[in-house]
Amino acid sequence: MLTALTGRIDRWKTAAGRATAVPFVVRCGILLTGLLAFGVAWPIELLSSPRFFLGIILVAFWPVVAPRGRGGSAAALLVIFGWLIDTAGFGSPVTLLRVLALATLLYLAHTLTALAAVLPYDAIVNFDVPGLWLLRSLVVVLISAVVIVLALGLTADLGGDAFELATVVGLVAAATVTMVLSRLAQRE
């Protein structure tokens, strides 16, 4: 058991010595967006506890160390759980800006984790690769935010319940995208 642990530590030392700048910056982006998502979602009363905050840092660091594993999903689910605790348990108001910030941070953390999963730690890559990756991600975030705001504005103009109509529109859009993607996948 001890030899396996020392072998793993030696491999981590070798990996840290061979790491290049772009994969390191991508992994730092995962950590930053993850920590910001936790900060937006969780109640400040819980985050101010040092013991609790250490656990949050460890969960946010998990997809940085192992982007191909379940760390990204676990961190995202814990962020969502914190959002539910804050809104349902602590009674924080649900505001559009906070929801958009949380969705943006979760999406950026997810897409950076996907990039880190295919980008070896010692890859020689131009900064154009993560730059274009983030630019495409930000375009997706911007389009999503505009659609959300327009859908909520449309529901207010129609006089209906905003959440019900937005949910129906979202489900129809998700089903349409799924059908289109499945048909495109069947062509290949």
Side-chain angles (χ1 to χ4, degrees):
M1 170 110 167
L2 187 58
T3 56
L5 182 62
T6 57
R8 183 171 288 191
I9 291 172
D10 288 339
R11 285 193 303 269
W12 285 349
K13 283 182 187 178
T14 303
R18 294 180 56 190
T20 57
V22 172
F24 180 74
V25 168
V26 168
R27 283 166 170 79
C28 287
I30 296 169
L31 183 63
L32 178 67
T33 55
L35 287 175
L36 288 173
F38 277 111
V40 169
W42 280 85
I44 195 68
E45 294 87 1
L46 294 178
L47 287 178
S48 61
S49 166
R51 199 170 35 159
F52 186 79
F53 190 67
L54 179 63
I56 292 292
I57 288 175
L58 290 175
V59 171
F61 201 75
W62 184 7
V64 173
V65 176
R68 290 185 186 141
R70 301 189 193 298
S73 298
L77 288 174
L78 195 59
V79 166
I80 294 167
F81 183 67
W83 168 261
L84 292 174
I85 287 174
D86 193 33
T87 56
F90 284 80
S92 293
V94 178
T95 62
L96 180 63
L97 184 60
R98 190 170 175 208
V99 170
L100 289 176
L102 187 59
T104 299
L105 290 168
L106 283 174
Y107 183 73
L108 290 177
H110 167 75
T111 192
L112 285 172
T113 303
L115 178 60
V118 297
L119 191 64
Y121 62 89
D122 58 351
I124 306 291
V125 180
N126 288 336
F127 277 103
D128 298 0
V129 173
L132 290 174
W133 187 282
L134 281 176
L135 182 64
R136 283 190 298 261
S137 299
L138 290 175
V139 167
V140 168
V141 166
L142 180 64
I143 291 171
S144 300
V146 168
V147 167
I148 288 171
V149 170
L150 290 176
L152 288 175
L154 179 65
T155 58
D157 288 343
L158 294 176
D161 190 3
F163 296 111
E164 288 179 13
L165 188 56
T167 302
V168 170
V169 169
L171 287 173
V172 169
T176 304
V177 168
T178 303
M179 287 179 10
V180 168
L181 289 176
S182 67
R183 289 197 179 160
L184 288 175
Q186 288 175 356
R187 285 185 180 177
E188 294 177 11

